[in-house]
Amino acid sequence: MNWLSLFGVSLVVLLLFFYEWPKMNQNQVKEKRVFIFLIAGVWLVAVMLIFFPDVPGPIDLITFLFRPVENFL
Amino acid sequence: METGKISASQMAFMMYPVVIATGIVIIPSITANYAAQDMWLSPILASLMGVLVIFIALKLHQLYPGHTIIEYSVSIIGKVPGKLLGFIYLYFYLLMNAGGTRIYADFVTGAFFKETPLFVILSTIMLVSSFAVRGGIEVVGRSAEMIVPFYVIILTILCFLLVADLNPKNIFPILSDGLMPSIKGAYTPQSWFAEFFLIAFLLPYVKDIQKAGKWSMISLGAVLLGFLATNLSLLFLFGGELTERFNYPLLDAVRYISIAEFIQHLESLVMAIWVAGTFVKLAVVHFALVIGTAQWLNLSDYKPLVFPLGFLTVLVSIWGISSEMESAHYSGTIFPSFSLVVQTIIPLLLLVIAILRKKHH
């Protein structure tokens, strides 16, 4: 199941790449870098979540920061 | 970067579902939990927050016309702190949209598609919204203009169909414990009203900017009416005590409708407007996130970012949130505090600093 999800996520990321890459201009170097960085990052996060679903995420950081306010209410 | 323009009325149509699409489904029970039979008062108090943030966003845009908050935060507090603040905004809108997607998916799987995996619901809605955003702000604006009138009409019809079963006596005793319960009940909805601050990302693309203030207030008024109508209907139907026990009281209320045993099972209508409204909401917030990210990185085009960031939004909405209960807890109590800081206090400080700086020069 995990390996199937990994395959699915990789497929989606590849599709995304082949959909978007030809649309960018030759001289949009910075855009291309950001795009590659983002989809690589997203792929890594997705793979991490497939194998370790309990890793604390961005929402946990906010929950940690604002919990004192909740207790105050 | 974005060459498209929207009209001030389109902006109003875009902002309506941003606030109401998720708000109307989960907020009544949270409000009822604190305010009980005074739950109708809470949206009125909370809407004052909406007035405040609209005022702040308009004033800031007046001082820096044609710029979004990501750009003028650099002009106001300098390069490094401004960029840092911009990052906080991007983080906030990423989490806000992830939260919205998650509320939508929890509702759809909880009430209708009990066997469907969560990620299917999450990714399909995000995919449609991303396509709208990729089409540009005009596409988002026109979809909103097309969908929102139906949304309002169906919501109104549903409230009217409930009239026969309503018991207005449920509203008494009014303010039996003073104002405090209603103020506590307003704490969650204030963060939804504060989402009107999103116009800080839309104002640079509004053609008839002098009408923006008027149309924002019309949108705010419509949202307030929507909240009032649902809260009052639920209060008159179930009473404050019972409303807090439902996860999605509006859905249960609509399931209750049965006229001559002929007009019933109208929850499919709730589902229909819910999907359409969420589509517009996610598209508008995603547009803000994507255009903000592109400006933050000084890119010349935002379109390549649309799908990767959409994917990231879906991931964040399941990242670290394992259950529906955890997600409801986050939206009901943690998000409002986060919103209060990012959407109200920081913009207010920015405005004060900006005015002081302009006076000195």
Side-chain angles (χ1 to χ4, degrees):
Chain A
M1 190 60 201
N2 279 350
W3 294 104
L4 197 67
S5 310
L6 178 66
F7 175 73
V9 163
S10 311
L11 189 71
V12 169
V13 168
L14 273 180
L15 281 175
L16 240 169
F17 177 81
F18 285 113
Y19 177 78
E20 210 65 70
W21 193 258
K23 291 192 161 98
M24 281 188 275
N25 280 332
Q26 277 294 312
N27 45 11
Q28 287 182 305
V29 181
K30 199 172 177 193
E31 282 72 19
K32 284 183 168 173
R33 274 193 205 143
V34 171
F35 177 71
I36 292 290
F37 176 78
L38 267 178
I39 58 169
V42 160
W43 183 79
L44 277 177
V45 170
V47 170
M48 183 187 75
L49 287 178
I50 289 171
F51 291 99
F52 311 98
D54 296 324
V55 177
I59 286 181
D60 292 292
L61 174 67
I62 297 307
T63 310
F64 170 75
L65 283 177
F66 288 96
R67 179 145 288 160
V69 186
E70 182 205 356
N71 297 337
F72 177 71
L73 284 171
Chain B
M1 180 178 349
E2 168 67 63
T3 47
K5 289 273 176 192
I6 52 170
S7 66
S9 61
Q10 278 174 331
M11 184 182 78
F13 280 119
M14 285 158 84
M15 288 313 296
Y16 179 84
V18 166
V19 183
I20 220 156
T22 42
I24 197 176
V25 187
I26 63 159
I27 285 195
S29 69
I30 298 172
T31 308
N33 182 23
Y34 292 104
Q37 78 280 5
D38 291 328
M39 62 188 269
W40 57 278
L41 203 59
S42 299
I44 302 179
L45 297 172
S47 69
L48 297 176
M49 196 62 102
V51 178
L52 177 68
V53 297
I54 288 175
F55 171 79
I56 298 172
L58 285 170
K59 274 282 162 204
L60 278 169
H61 186 259
Q62 235 171 41
L63 293 173
Y64 299 92
H67 294 280
T68 69
I69 182 154
I70 304 291
E71 293 167 316
Y72 55 63
S73 62
V74 175
S75 320
I76 295 174
I77 54 175
K79 182 130 200 206
V80 177
K83 285 283 178 196
L84 205 67
L85 189 63
F87 182 76
I88 294 176
Y89 273 91
L90 299 178
Y91 192 81
F92 176 80
Y93 283 111
L94 176 68
L95 259 59
M96 176 170 133
N97 223 18
T101 327
R102 182 59 187 258
I103 292 173
Y104 162 83
D106 279 339
F107 175 75
V108 173
T109 48
F112 297 96
F113 301 138
K114 294 196 165 68
E115 301 293 323
T116 312
L118 202 58
F119 77 89
V120 174
I121 315 274
L122 290 165
S123 25
T124 43
I125 192 81
M126 202 60 223
L127 185 68
V128 208
S129 298
S130 299
F131 271 115
V133 175
R134 212 183 179 291
I137 193 169
E138 287 180 353
V139 174
V140 181
R142 281 180 201 161
S143 343
E145 212 174 16
M146 207 171 69
I147 289 168
V148 172
F150 285 104
Y151 193 100
V152 178
I153 291 168
I154 291 177
L155 197 60
T156 317
I157 292 176
L158 289 176
C159 285
F160 271 108
L161 287 176
L162 280 170
V163 164
D165 299 307
L166 298 184
N167 174 18
K169 282 197 184 124
N170 283 342
I171 203 173
F172 299 112
I174 294 175
L175 293 180
S176 56
D177 300 311
L179 259 178
M180 216 42 211
S182 321
I183 294 174
K184 279 190 171 171
Y187 191 66
T188 307
Q190 62 81 19
S191 60
W192 258 258
F193 277 101
E195 286 173 10
F196 266 100
F197 188 69
L198 212 64
I199 63 171
F201 288 88
L202 302 178
L203 286 173
Y205 310 106
V206 174
K207 267 183 299 202
D208 39 357
I209 191 73
Q210 68 285 359
K211 289 187 192 151
K214 189 185 87 183
W215 276 104
S216 310
M217 292 315 284
I218 292 176
S219 188
L220 179 75
V223 169
L224 177 59
L225 268 181
F227 273 120
L228 266 184
T230 44
N231 274 13
L232 278 175
S233 308
L234 292 171
L235 178 63
F236 290 167
L237 187 66
F238 298 128
E241 305 281 304
L242 198 55
T243 305
E244 64 166 293
R245 291 199 205 152
F246 296 115
N247 279 339
Y248 308 113
L250 185 66
L251 185 73
D252 293 290
V254 172
R255 281 192 169 137
Y256 198 85
I257 297 176
S258 169
I259 292 172
E261 295 197 357
F262 178 67
I263 302 181
Q264 41 183 293
H265 286 295
L266 295 178
E267 62 263 29
S268 53
L269 278 180
V270 176
M271 178 70 161
I273 61 170
W274 174 236
V275 175
T278 308
F279 156 70
V280 178
K281 176 195 164 99
L282 296 182
V284 175
V285 183
H286 197 54
F287 174 79
L289 172 69
V290 168
I291 200 110
T293 311
Q295 288 172 341
W296 193 71
L297 293 166
N298 300 324
L299 300 184
S300 62
D301 190 13
Y302 67 92
K303 288 188 170 152
L305 306 179
V306 174
F307 287 106
L309 286 176
F311 200 158
L312 187 63
T313 307
V314 171
L315 290 177
V316 170
S317 72
I318 45 174
W319 194 348
I321 310 177
S322 46
S323 65
E324 188 184 338
M325 262 180 63
E326 221 176 314
S327 138
H329 169 253
Y330 166 76
S331 311
T333 60
I334 304 292
F335 174 76
S337 314
F338 191 24
S339 155
L340 187 66
V341 173
V342 176
Q343 296 199 103
T344 314
I345 297 174
I346 294 179
L348 194 62
L349 290 176
L350 272 184
L351 180 62
V352 172
I353 298 172
I355 290 174
L356 289 177
R357 281 185 76 125
K358 291 259 162 174
K359 267 192 184 151
H360 271 286
H361 291 293

Tab-separated table of all heavy atoms in Angstrom, chain B residues 2 94 96 111 148 163 167-168 197 202 207 230 245 358:
chain	number	residue	atom	x	y	z
B	2	GLU	N	0.385	39.974	-12.629
B	2	GLU	CA	-1.006	39.635	-12.967
B	2	GLU	C	-1.557	40.810	-13.760
B	2	GLU	O	-1.618	41.918	-13.257
B	2	GLU	CB	-1.810	39.409	-11.687
B	2	GLU	CG	-3.306	39.333	-11.888
B	2	GLU	CD	-3.759	38.116	-12.672
B	2	GLU	OE1	-3.556	36.998	-12.202
B	2	GLU	OE2	-4.308	38.288	-13.782
B	94	LEU	N	-1.221	29.698	3.843
B	94	LEU	CA	-1.097	28.270	3.531
B	94	LEU	C	-1.881	27.449	4.548
B	94	LEU	O	-2.666	26.556	4.197
B	94	LEU	CB	0.381	27.862	3.539
B	94	LEU	CG	0.669	26.385	3.336
B	94	LEU	CD1	0.302	25.955	1.931
B	94	LEU	CD2	2.133	26.069	3.590
B	96	MET	N	-4.266	28.532	6.558
B	96	MET	CA	-5.687	28.857	6.519
B	96	MET	C	-6.379	28.051	5.415
B	96	MET	O	-7.460	27.491	5.613
B	96	MET	CB	-5.851	30.352	6.274
B	96	MET	CG	-7.282	30.794	6.107
B	96	MET	SD	-7.370	32.579	6.116
B	96	MET	CE	-8.420	32.875	4.718
B	111	ALA	N	-20.399	13.303	6.394
B	111	ALA	CA	-21.840	13.352	6.176
B	111	ALA	C	-22.296	12.574	4.949
B	111	ALA	O	-23.431	12.112	4.896
B	111	ALA	CB	-22.284	14.805	6.061
B	148	VAL	N	-21.900	32.565	-6.631
B	148	VAL	CA	-22.369	33.101	-5.351
B	148	VAL	C	-23.864	33.456	-5.335
B	148	VAL	O	-24.541	33.167	-4.345
B	148	VAL	CB	-21.464	34.269	-4.900
B	148	VAL	CG1	-22.031	34.971	-3.696
B	148	VAL	CG2	-20.085	33.737	-4.593
B	163	VAL	N	-39.220	27.698	8.261
B	163	VAL	CA	-40.033	28.628	9.053
B	163	VAL	C	-41.157	27.932	9.820
B	163	VAL	O	-41.382	28.202	10.998
B	163	VAL	CB	-40.599	29.760	8.155
B	163	VAL	CG1	-41.738	30.490	8.833
B	163	VAL	CG2	-39.488	30.740	7.820
B	167	ASN	N	-39.470	27.869	16.489
B	167	ASN	CA	-40.091	28.270	17.736
B	167	ASN	C	-39.320	29.458	18.310
B	167	ASN	O	-38.340	29.281	19.029
B	167	ASN	CB	-40.075	27.086	18.707
B	167	ASN	CG	-40.582	27.477	20.071
B	167	ASN	OD1	-41.247	28.509	20.211
B	167	ASN	ND2	-40.253	26.694	21.059
B	168	PRO	N	-39.771	30.680	17.996
B	168	PRO	CA	-39.007	31.882	18.375
B	168	PRO	C	-38.828	32.036	19.875
B	168	PRO	O	-37.960	32.786	20.315
B	168	PRO	CB	-39.847	33.035	17.814
B	168	PRO	CG	-40.720	32.424	16.781
B	168	PRO	CD	-40.974	31.018	17.224
B	197	PHE	N	-9.500	40.502	5.566
B	197	PHE	CA	-8.216	41.141	5.329
B	197	PHE	C	-7.591	40.671	4.018
B	197	PHE	O	-6.699	41.311	3.471
B	197	PHE	CB	-7.256	40.893	6.500
B	197	PHE	CG	-6.001	41.688	6.382
B	197	PHE	CD1	-6.030	43.062	6.529
B	197	PHE	CD2	-4.799	41.088	6.074
B	197	PHE	CE1	-4.890	43.813	6.371
B	197	PHE	CE2	-3.652	41.840	5.919
B	197	PHE	CZ	-3.703	43.205	6.064
B	202	LEU	N	-6.228	41.533	-3.039
B	202	LEU	CA	-7.075	41.697	-4.221
B	202	LEU	C	-7.152	43.149	-4.687
B	202	LEU	O	-7.298	43.422	-5.871
B	202	LEU	CB	-8.494	41.182	-3.931
B	202	LEU	CG	-8.602	39.727	-3.488
B	202	LEU	CD1	-10.047	39.368	-3.192
B	202	LEU	CD2	-8.061	38.798	-4.554
B	207	LYS	N	-10.388	47.295	-10.648
B	207	LYS	CA	-10.457	48.391	-11.622
B	207	LYS	C	-10.995	49.664	-10.979
B	207	LYS	O	-10.348	50.698	-10.964
B	207	LYS	CB	-11.410	47.996	-12.767
B	207	LYS	CG	-10.745	47.351	-13.951
B	207	LYS	CD	-11.779	47.089	-15.043
B	207	LYS	CE	-12.858	46.160	-14.564
B	207	LYS	NZ	-13.604	45.434	-15.578
B	230	THR	N	-28.691	31.812	9.665
B	230	THR	CA	-28.497	30.417	10.061
B	230	THR	C	-28.518	30.272	11.578
B	230	THR	O	-29.156	29.362	12.099
B	230	THR	CB	-27.168	29.846	9.537
B	230	THR	OG1	-26.157	30.808	9.754
B	230	THR	CG2	-27.255	29.504	8.081
B	245	ARG	N	-24.481	20.328	20.309
B	245	ARG	CA	-24.171	18.898	20.269
B	245	ARG	C	-23.971	18.377	18.848
B	245	ARG	O	-23.410	17.322	18.647
B	245	ARG	CB	-25.284	18.104	20.937
B	245	ARG	CG	-25.285	18.362	22.415
B	245	ARG	CD	-26.032	17.290	23.148
B	245	ARG	NE	-26.509	17.877	24.396
B	245	ARG	CZ	-27.579	17.485	25.018
B	245	ARG	NH1	-28.305	16.496	24.512
B	245	ARG	NH2	-27.937	18.059	26.143
B	358	LYS	N	4.911	58.367	6.916
B	358	LYS	CA	4.480	59.314	5.874
B	358	LYS	C	4.456	60.730	6.425
B	358	LYS	O	4.721	61.691	5.716
B	358	LYS	CB	3.094	58.929	5.351
B	358	LYS	CG	3.091	57.644	4.547
B	358	LYS	CD	3.063	57.889	3.043
B	358	LYS	CE	3.507	56.608	2.341
B	358	LYS	NZ	3.413	56.642	0.903
